[in-house]
Amino acid sequence: MTHEISSSLPFIEGRGGVFCRGCLGRNLFSGLDLGELPIANELLKSREGSLERFPLHLRVCSECGLGQVEDVVTPERIFRDYRYLSSMSTTFLRHAFDFVDERIKEEIFEPGDWVLEIASNDGYLLKNFLPFGIKAIGVEPAENVAKISRELGIETISEFFTSELAEKIRELNGYPKLIIANNVMAHVPDLGDFVKGLSLLCGPETEISIENPSLANILLEMQFDTIYHEHYSYLSASSVGKVSQRNGLQLFKVENLSIHGGSNRYWLRSLSTKGSIHSSVEVFYNSEKSSGLFEPSKWANFSDKVAKIRSDFHAWLSDSADKGRRVYGYGAAAKASTLLNSISTNDGLIVAIADVSLEKQARFMPPHGIKIISPNELFTKNPTDIVIFPWNLKLEIAKYLRSNLGDGVRLWCAIPEIHEVDIK
């Protein structure tokens, strides 16, 4: 099989080694090597199918604190037919509503102002601006997902966000008052061009809100299952600050969020905009240094712990099967793909995985063609144990499962180690 290689700039092998796609430095070290895994959201159409595998090796820049994996798979392959819908989670819907509600209460919008969201998915966030008469434009390259957004009345551009597209958007609409880029900055191989596009759209009154899980949380909370091919980069406040400054933007505030198991919200503005830098920026910079984010020894220890987590989870699955337990999964998420494929689970250890998304049901999760079923089908199977793979939503999911299955079933999460979920 041939690997589909991206022609993007940021990851270059040469005499000097690998370049950081954030600061372009050369001092990168190994954070975690997971070997060769399939693309997380490519699901099999039949149990007998097989998928290509690609290297998945996290490296960390010792100069700016950016984590990155090699861009061996093009964004076109990953995102043109995308099966993740943000509206499937009540937690994400509430988070989006609260974000918009906060902006409305700040009274920052005047007549004629508009909002741009990059990677707007199915419109789960932008729809909250419409009742206030605020024009909202989304950029969503997955046509199947953009179609849902358009049906809500949101103008949606089905292209990848680049500096070239940014210029076109500015020419047609002027500068937006607010740019939102949630869980997308990690998904672009050419990080410099992406941030350049943000800069081109950043007028004197524009603010940019970027949300992404923190690289520090991967290290400290053992969240290795969030490493997969569609996440080209793993952000930190230090790396966002440097790549922003290189492209005419300024990081002026950082917020810590509980969403996605621990995320940062980065606020950017033009370097030419007057204003003080919030103390949170320096606090985050110092915290990342003290956490060991820039230290190879800390990541080597992390790698050893990950190996034990994977081994212990495989042993738990095998032991459960030996005891005749009927183990199912819940959430055919990318996290599940990384975890299951990295331990090469034996056939039959997990009977099936339930997922609420119609886009995923009736497909199969590699490596052994684990069938993806609906939650209603799960409820008829009398499982003894269910592994909740989206641990960032474990309480929401656990309450849902308890309400439908009662107290007889045991609920588990494998991260940061295999443990039973208690919602009492």
Side-chain angles (χ1 to χ4, degrees):
M1 294 183 180
T2 59
H3 290 176
E4 189 174 356
I5 304 297
S6 170
S7 60
S8 56
L9 162 70
F11 221 101
I12 305 169
E13 291 282 353
R15 281 187 306 177
V18 180
F19 287 94
C20 170
R21 61 168 55 94
C23 70
L24 302 184
R26 296 176 183 267
N27 297 321
L28 282 82
F29 58 84
S30 177
L32 179 67
D33 188 352
L34 290 170
E36 292 196 345
L37 272 64
I39 299 171
N41 281 304
E42 277 192 1
L43 302 173
L44 300 169
K45 294 183 178 180
S46 69
R47 193 183 298 276
E48 292 75 30
S50 62
L51 294 174
E52 287 182 274
R53 290 172 171 263
F54 301 89
L56 188 59
H57 187 173
L58 175 71
R59 295 180 175 89
V60 180
C61 177
S62 61
E63 296 179 31
C64 77
L66 181 77
Q68 62 186 51
V69 299
E70 193 170 354
D71 55 338
V72 294
V73 187
T74 64
E76 287 78 10
R77 174 165 178 171
I78 294 174
F79 297 112
R80 282 300 187 191
D81 181 26
Y82 199 50
R83 304 205 161 265
Y84 176 81
L85 300 179
S86 297
S87 290
M88 293 296 102
S89 167
T90 57
T91 299
F92 295 157
L93 288 174
R94 183 68 200 181
H95 179 69
F97 176 87
D98 289 345
F99 175 83
V100 175
D101 186 55
E102 290 169 6
R103 306 289 82 75
I104 296 299
K105 288 178 178 177
E106 288 174 349
E107 299 182 346
I108 63 173
F109 295 103
E110 298 177 359
D113 285 343
W114 64 283
V115 176
L116 174 71
E117 184 180 13
I118 303 165
S120 53
N121 202 261
D122 58 6
Y124 79 108
L125 188 149
L126 286 182
K127 68 180 183 181
N128 295 292
F129 284 104
L130 301 183
F132 299 96
I134 299 171
K135 180 181 177 181
I137 298 176
V139 176
E140 174 51 60
E143 186 59 50
N144 62 316
V145 179
K147 182 175 180 290
I148 301 171
S149 180
R150 292 192 191 99
E151 290 171 352
L152 297 174
I154 299 167
E155 180 183 341
T156 307
I157 303 167
S158 288
E159 295 184 35
F160 288 99
F161 183 78
T162 62
S163 59
E164 182 179 357
L165 178 61
E167 287 188 297
K168 293 178 182 178
I169 294 173
R170 186 186 62 193
E171 289 172 4
L172 290 173
N173 302 280
Y175 294 113
K177 177 59 72 73
L178 176 65
I179 300 173
I180 305 161
N182 292 349
N183 302 300
V184 59
M185 198 160 156
H187 293 177
V188 291
D190 195 339
L191 192 59
D193 184 73
F194 183 88
V195 180
K196 178 183 176 182
L198 294 178
S199 182
L200 289 169
L201 280 164
C202 190
E205 296 183 356
T206 304
E207 290 190 350
I208 303 169
S209 173
I210 295 171
E211 290 182 20
N212 264 100
S214 163
L215 177 63
N217 275 5
I218 292 178
L219 174 65
L220 300 175
E221 305 296 333
M222 307 309 300
Q223 297 172 359
F224 72 94
D225 57 342
T226 61
I227 301 169
Y228 35 91
H229 297 99
E230 71 182 55
H231 284 174
Y232 296 104
S233 302
Y234 301 79
L235 305 182
S236 62
S238 302
S239 61
V240 171
K242 286 197 174 183
V243 74
S244 299
Q245 189 169 31
R246 280 184 52 238
N247 289 278
L249 295 173
Q250 179 183 68
L251 176 64
F252 70 90
K253 185 178 179 181
V254 186
E255 298 176 64
N256 180 250
L257 308 172
S258 61
I259 199 77
H260 284 295
S263 295
N264 291 344
R265 179 182 289 154
Y266 307 103
W267 286 98
L268 309 179
R269 64 190 176 203
S270 171
L271 274 173
S272 61
T273 301
K274 303 291 185 181
S276 60
I277 304 296
H278 194 271
S279 60
S280 58
V281 175
E282 192 66 27
V283 168
F284 272 81
Y285 287 167
N286 292 335
S287 175
E288 289 171 354
K289 288 181 181 178
S290 64
S291 72
L293 191 69
F294 298 82
E295 299 175 22
S297 61
K298 292 285 187 180
W299 285 96
N301 185 48
F302 167 79
S303 184
D304 291 340
K305 289 180 179 178
V306 168
K308 185 176 187 307
I309 292 169
R310 292 159 60 191
S311 175
D312 288 350
F313 182 54
H314 188 274
W316 179 85
L317 288 172
S318 298
D319 181 63
S320 297
D322 291 342
K323 293 177 178 177
R325 295 175 180 170
R326 298 181 303 280
V327 179
Y328 286 73
Y330 191 95
K335 294 178 179 67
S337 180
T338 293
L339 178 59
L340 293 175
N341 283 284
S342 72
I343 65 173
S344 298
T345 53
N346 299 332
D347 190 13
L349 293 185
I350 295 178
V351 182
I353 299 176
D355 198 288
V356 70
S357 173
L358 297 175
E359 296 279 327
K360 297 181 179 181
Q361 291 171 17
R363 294 199 174 220
F364 297 84
M365 173 79 72
H368 294 293
I370 304 170
K371 187 176 182 181
I372 301 171
I373 61 177
S374 70
N376 285 337
E377 186 175 350
L378 171 67
F379 301 151
T380 69
K381 299 297 184 181
N382 298 315
T384 61
D385 300 81
I386 299 175
V387 179
I388 300 172
F389 289 109
W391 44 259
N392 52 314
L393 300 172
K394 69 179 181 181
L395 294 182
E396 174 188 332
I397 293 171
K399 290 176 183 177
Y400 171 66
L401 294 174
R402 280 274 177 259
S403 67
N404 286 278
L405 291 168
D407 294 333
V409 63
R410 291 178 291 266
L411 306 178
W412 303 85
C413 270
I415 304 297
E417 60 187 3
I418 187 68
H419 64 280
E420 194 165 357
V421 178
D422 183 8
I423 61 173
K424 295 178 181 179

